[in-house]
Amino acid sequence: MARRTVQGKVAVITGSSMGIGKATAKLLASQGAKVVINGRTENRLEQTRQELEQTGYEVRAVVADISTLEGASRLIAEAINHFGQIDILINNAGMSSRGYFEEIEPEVLERMLQINVMGCLHPTKAALPYLESTSGSIVFVSSVAGIRGLPETGIYCATKMALTAVAESLKVELSDKSIHVGIVYVGITENDPGKRVIDKDGSYLLLKDRKQRNTQTPEEVARAIVRMVKKRQFKKILTVLGKLNALANVLFPRLVDWVLIRSKERIRRLNT
């Protein structure tokens, strides 16, 4: 399939004040797209907006909690009011968690579902009429943790697995409307300083520096996301380890169980 250009397209990227979302916004803008960036922290989002504008890119920043219907609706409405159309929606916003299931407070379970699942569903629902008119793209940013449930991050895995079901359903439901649906499974990625995860009691933990763990850079992930949009691909698993994980789950599920059971304490130590 021939590649499409992003030149002149309007892209909405959730969770784009840092990390993968910021890198994706930068890459799209560098290729001529108009970008709408989003986050919940105003000062960080403003810094990203200024950084993009100083480079000469067309950008709109919208502070909104898109895990709520009101926040997601406002994000999409501001994109339409400012640029007049939406061609690309990147559902990137999300949060990881820590803790064995039996230890996790109920409010943490609800918060994770709200952020990682509703934070994708609400923007997608609001953007669909506009994406239909432009034959646009919806991309869900998932994780290799959404391929197989893992100890210590079970609720995070569950929310990322849910995105697969949504993407698969939408691909079929929207097949007659020329809307591209894609889902990318991201491996361990370098994190910005200050990146946090939700602990089992609802408090926040600073994520450890991952540079020594054979990570991808946000820029590498951004390139994969933009390539997916241009080629209108459906599923993409990043990193060799991620691909091996997916293959092993199909061919050797009992072996995967055994390895994870033997490794669960080591995994827990890595996550704390």
Side-chain angles (χ1 to χ4, degrees), residues 147-151 161 244-262:
I147 297 172
R148 162 76 198 209
L150 301 171
M161 286 182 179
L244 288 174
N245 177 25
L247 185 63
N249 268 300
V250 174
L251 299 179
F252 311 109
R254 293 179 65 183
L255 175 61
V256 174
D257 283 341
W258 180 82
V259 169
L260 288 175
I261 289 169
R262 291 289 299 269

Side-chain angles (χ1 to χ4, degrees), residues 25-39:
K26 279 185 174 182
L27 183 57
L28 284 166
S30 73
Q31 297 183 13
K34 304 166 187 177
V35 297
V36 180
I37 59 173
N38 157 256

Side-chain angles (χ1 to χ4, degrees), residues 105-175:
E105 294 295 330
E107 58 265 29
V108 174
L109 301 177
E110 294 182 10
R111 196 189 314 175
M112 287 293 295
L113 289 167
Q114 194 70 30
I115 294 170
N116 289 358
V117 180
M118 301 313 297
C120 291
L121 299 188
H122 285 319
T124 299
K125 180 76 171 176
L128 272 179
Y130 307 106
L131 291 165
E132 182 176 355
S133 68
T134 59
S135 298
S137 288
I138 306 165
V139 174
F140 296 92
V141 179
S142 184
S143 165
V144 293
I147 297 172
R148 162 76 198 209
L150 301 171
E152 261 289 291
T153 54
I155 185 61
Y156 174 70
C157 296
T159 60
K160 292 302 184 178
M161 286 182 179
L163 299 185
T164 298
V166 173
E168 289 174 346
S169 296
L170 283 176
K171 184 175 187 288
V172 175
E173 293 174 6
L174 302 176
S175 59

